[in-house]
mmCIF file of all heavy atoms in Angstrom:
data_model
loop_
_atom_site.group_PDB
_atom_site.id
_atom_site.type_symbol
_atom_site.label_atom_id
_atom_site.label_comp_id
_atom_site.label_asym_id
_atom_site.label_seq_id
_atom_site.Cartn_x
_atom_site.Cartn_y
_atom_site.Cartn_z
ATOM 1 N N ILE A 284 -16.548 -3.904 10.581
ATOM 2 C CA ILE A 284 -16.523 -3.541 9.162
ATOM 3 C C ILE A 284 -17.716 -4.210 8.491
ATOM 4 O O ILE A 284 -17.851 -5.437 8.515
ATOM 5 C CB ILE A 284 -15.216 -3.985 8.485
ATOM 6 C CG1 ILE A 284 -14.021 -3.240 9.114
ATOM 7 C CG2 ILE A 284 -15.273 -3.728 6.983
ATOM 8 C CD1 ILE A 284 -12.669 -3.676 8.565
ATOM 9 N N ILE A 285 -18.585 -3.374 7.930
ATOM 10 C CA ILE A 285 -19.771 -3.843 7.210
ATOM 11 C C ILE A 285 -19.491 -3.664 5.724
ATOM 12 O O ILE A 285 -19.226 -2.550 5.258
ATOM 13 C CB ILE A 285 -21.026 -3.021 7.588
ATOM 14 C CG1 ILE A 285 -21.200 -2.916 9.102
ATOM 15 C CG2 ILE A 285 -22.250 -3.573 6.883
ATOM 16 C CD1 ILE A 285 -21.490 -4.192 9.790
ATOM 17 N N ILE A 286 -19.545 -4.749 4.960
ATOM 18 C CA ILE A 286 -19.327 -4.671 3.517
ATOM 19 C C ILE A 286 -20.543 -5.257 2.823
ATOM 20 O O ILE A 286 -20.892 -6.423 3.038
ATOM 21 C CB ILE A 286 -18.049 -5.415 3.090
ATOM 22 C CG1 ILE A 286 -16.832 -4.815 3.820
ATOM 23 C CG2 ILE A 286 -17.868 -5.328 1.580
ATOM 24 C CD1 ILE A 286 -15.521 -5.514 3.519
ATOM 25 N N VAL A 287 -21.176 -4.432 1.997
ATOM 26 C CA VAL A 287 -22.373 -4.851 1.255
ATOM 27 C C VAL A 287 -21.986 -5.004 -0.213
ATOM 28 O O VAL A 287 -21.568 -4.038 -0.858
ATOM 29 C CB VAL A 287 -23.505 -3.822 1.421
ATOM 30 C CG1 VAL A 287 -24.666 -4.137 0.484
ATOM 31 C CG2 VAL A 287 -23.980 -3.797 2.872
ATOM 32 N N ASP A 288 -22.127 -6.220 -0.717
ATOM 33 C CA ASP A 288 -21.801 -6.519 -2.112
ATOM 34 C C ASP A 288 -23.076 -6.440 -2.944
ATOM 35 O O ASP A 288 -24.070 -7.091 -2.636
ATOM 36 C CB ASP A 288 -21.183 -7.911 -2.218
ATOM 37 C CG ASP A 288 -20.597 -8.170 -3.594
ATOM 38 O OD1 ASP A 288 -21.378 -8.167 -4.564
ATOM 39 O OD2 ASP A 288 -19.375 -8.371 -3.700
ATOM 40 N N THR A 289 -23.032 -5.623 -3.998
ATOM 41 C CA THR A 289 -24.236 -5.392 -4.804
ATOM 42 C C THR A 289 -24.234 -6.183 -6.113
ATOM 43 O O THR A 289 -24.874 -5.787 -7.077
ATOM 44 C CB THR A 289 -24.403 -3.888 -5.101
ATOM 45 O OG1 THR A 289 -23.260 -3.423 -5.845
ATOM 46 C CG2 THR A 289 -24.552 -3.092 -3.825
ATOM 47 N N GLY A 290 -23.510 -7.311 -6.117
ATOM 48 C CA GLY A 290 -23.585 -8.168 -7.297
ATOM 49 C C GLY A 290 -22.268 -8.438 -7.980
ATOM 50 O O GLY A 290 -22.230 -8.576 -9.214
ATOM 51 N N SER A 291 -21.192 -8.550 -7.223
ATOM 52 C CA SER A 291 -19.869 -8.782 -7.824
ATOM 53 C C SER A 291 -19.832 -10.142 -8.522
ATOM 54 O O SER A 291 -20.406 -11.124 -8.056
ATOM 55 C CB SER A 291 -18.781 -8.735 -6.749
ATOM 56 O OG SER A 291 -18.685 -7.454 -6.178
ATOM 57 N N ILE A 292 -19.103 -10.177 -9.643
ATOM 58 C CA ILE A 292 -18.869 -11.443 -10.345
ATOM 59 C C ILE A 292 -17.380 -11.786 -10.344
ATOM 60 O O ILE A 292 -16.959 -12.719 -11.025
ATOM 61 C CB ILE A 292 -19.416 -11.408 -11.783
ATOM 62 C CG1 ILE A 292 -18.789 -10.241 -12.571
ATOM 63 C CG2 ILE A 292 -20.945 -11.276 -11.773
ATOM 64 C CD1 ILE A 292 -19.174 -10.225 -14.045
ATOM 65 N N ASP A 293 -16.598 -11.018 -9.595
ATOM 66 C CA ASP A 293 -15.169 -11.316 -9.451
ATOM 67 C C ASP A 293 -14.916 -11.798 -8.020
ATOM 68 O O ASP A 293 -15.815 -12.312 -7.367
ATOM 69 C CB ASP A 293 -14.312 -10.096 -9.828
ATOM 70 C CG ASP A 293 -14.566 -8.897 -8.911
ATOM 71 O OD1 ASP A 293 -15.365 -9.033 -7.940
ATOM 72 O OD2 ASP A 293 -13.979 -7.832 -9.149
ATOM 73 N N SER A 294 -13.730 -11.628 -7.516
ATOM 74 C CA SER A 294 -13.390 -12.138 -6.184
ATOM 75 C C SER A 294 -13.583 -11.106 -5.075
ATOM 76 O O SER A 294 -13.049 -11.270 -3.982
ATOM 77 C CB SER A 294 -11.938 -12.626 -6.180
ATOM 78 O OG SER A 294 -11.054 -11.569 -6.500
ATOM 79 N N THR A 295 -14.359 -10.077 -5.332
ATOM 80 C CA THR A 295 -14.583 -9.037 -4.325
ATOM 81 C C THR A 295 -15.110 -9.607 -3.011
ATOM 82 O O THR A 295 -14.605 -9.266 -1.933
ATOM 83 C CB THR A 295 -15.561 -7.977 -4.868
ATOM 84 O OG1 THR A 295 -14.963 -7.286 -5.965
ATOM 85 C CG2 THR A 295 -15.924 -6.971 -3.790
ATOM 86 N N ALA A 296 -16.117 -10.444 -3.081
ATOM 87 C CA ALA A 296 -16.724 -10.977 -1.850
ATOM 88 C C ALA A 296 -15.723 -11.793 -1.043
ATOM 89 O O ALA A 296 -15.674 -11.689 0.192
ATOM 90 C CB ALA A 296 -17.950 -11.814 -2.199
ATOM 91 N N ALA A 297 -14.915 -12.585 -1.739
ATOM 92 C CA ALA A 297 -13.908 -13.397 -1.036
ATOM 93 C C ALA A 297 -12.886 -12.501 -0.350
ATOM 94 O O ALA A 297 -12.473 -12.767 0.788
ATOM 95 C CB ALA A 297 -13.225 -14.339 -2.021
ATOM 96 N N ILE A 298 -12.456 -11.444 -1.015
ATOM 97 C CA ILE A 298 -11.512 -10.495 -0.409
ATOM 98 C C ILE A 298 -12.145 -9.841 0.807
ATOM 99 O O ILE A 298 -11.519 -9.713 1.866
ATOM 100 C CB ILE A 298 -11.072 -9.438 -1.443
ATOM 101 C CG1 ILE A 298 -10.264 -10.091 -2.564
ATOM 102 C CG2 ILE A 298 -10.276 -8.319 -0.770
ATOM 103 C CD1 ILE A 298 -9.986 -9.181 -3.746
ATOM 104 N N ALA A 299 -13.394 -9.425 0.673
ATOM 105 C CA ALA A 299 -14.098 -8.777 1.793
ATOM 106 C C ALA A 299 -14.148 -9.687 3.011
ATOM 107 O O ALA A 299 -13.936 -9.243 4.147
ATOM 108 C CB ALA A 299 -15.504 -8.388 1.353
#
Side-chain angles (χ1 to χ4, degrees):
I284 296 177
I285 310 294
I286 301 177
V287 171
D288 190 297
T289 61
S291 295
I292 57 174
D293 62 3
S294 60
T295 294
I298 294 170

